[in-house]
Amino acid sequence: GENVEQHPSTLSVQEGDSAVIKCTYSDSASNYFPWYKQELGKGPQLIIDIRSNVGEKKDQRIAVTLNKTAKHFSLHITETQPEDSAVYFCAASSRQAGTALIFGKGTTLSVSS
Amino acid sequence: GAGVSQSPSNKVTEKGKDVELRCDPISGHTALYWYRQRLGQGLEFLIYFQGNSAPDKSGLPSDRFSAERTGESVSTLTIQRTQQEDSAVYLCASATNGADRVFGEGSRLTVL
């Protein structure tokens, strides 16, 4: 089955710096890669996703890249702000719905001002 | 409602007791998921309901865990004879066709 590894487990940056979180996956059939942000005491919230037919996707300060050959994908946050502080999870699946979505263990991002 | 609602938000119980956790999905969402999140860990899939189809129970860790859903509405996750290793946040999510999961805020279970 699918296995998703996420690094680093913790990341501390200064406000305004960039943050990069990396994930690798094992199942070459996976083609849906969402990223979730979880604030303290809240449920995870989808912030961006990418599918295997594109290599990069951007949404304002957030971008995700995908390398299907190497089976890895990354989240990039530019111009970080204190409100970006949260736990970020990557996930991989062969489809959006259903049970196949496998999550990484999360990255705790701390942005200090 | 506007979002996925879970109750209770916090539950402390003694080892060996049964607990019930409730999830009210977003109206019209046909899919409903339960996940377990242990401290410092990612989300672990437990069970998936899709419309009137038989649920996918492949993630339930033992026969002490069960879940029910009435049609496309409320779901209840039941844990019998709780153990300390059951302590976790239990997250519910619902989804409609073509859209991603919307998560509730979770029920934090502590088994003493």
Side-chain angles (χ1 to χ4, degrees), chain B residues 11-23:
Chain B
K11 175 71 176 179
V12 180
T13 191
E14 294 179 346
K15 178 181 173 181
K17 295 286 180 70
D18 297 352
V19 297
E20 281 190 356
L21 308 175
R22 176 186 169 107
C23 174

Side-chain angles (χ1 to χ4, degrees), chain A:
Chain A
E2 177 64 277
N3 182 50
V4 176
E5 299 284 340
Q6 183 171 347
H7 300 279
S9 56
T10 59
L11 179 59
S12 296
V13 299
Q14 291 286 321
E15 183 177 2
D17 288 349
S18 294
V20 180
I21 302 170
K22 298 181 179 182
C23 289
T24 60
Y25 63 99
S26 60
D27 187 351
S28 57
S30 290
N31 60 6
Y32 174 63
F33 307 93
W35 286 88
Y36 295 85
K37 176 183 181 182
Q38 186 175 28
E39 297 177 334
L40 194 63
K42 304 285 188 182
Q45 182 179 11
L46 179 71
I47 55 172
I48 194 168
D49 58 20
I50 191 167
R51 298 175 192 274
S52 60
N53 57 336
V54 295
E56 183 176 4
K57 184 176 178 181
K58 288 185 180 179
D59 182 3
Q60 300 182 338
R61 296 186 295 107
I62 293 173
V64 57
T65 59
L66 171 64
N67 183 327
K68 283 216 74 180
T69 302
K71 295 199 191 72
H72 65 71
F73 56 113
S74 300
L75 178 71
H76 303 251
I77 306 174
T78 58
E79 301 173 28
T80 53
Q81 301 167 3
E83 52 264 39
D84 294 330
S85 297
V87 180
Y88 291 81
F89 292 96
C90 64
S93 175
S94 59
R95 56 189 184 279
Q96 183 179 24
T99 62
L101 192 64
I102 304 299
F103 287 80
K105 291 188 176 181
T107 296
T108 301
L109 173 65
S110 299
V111 181
S112 53
S113 55

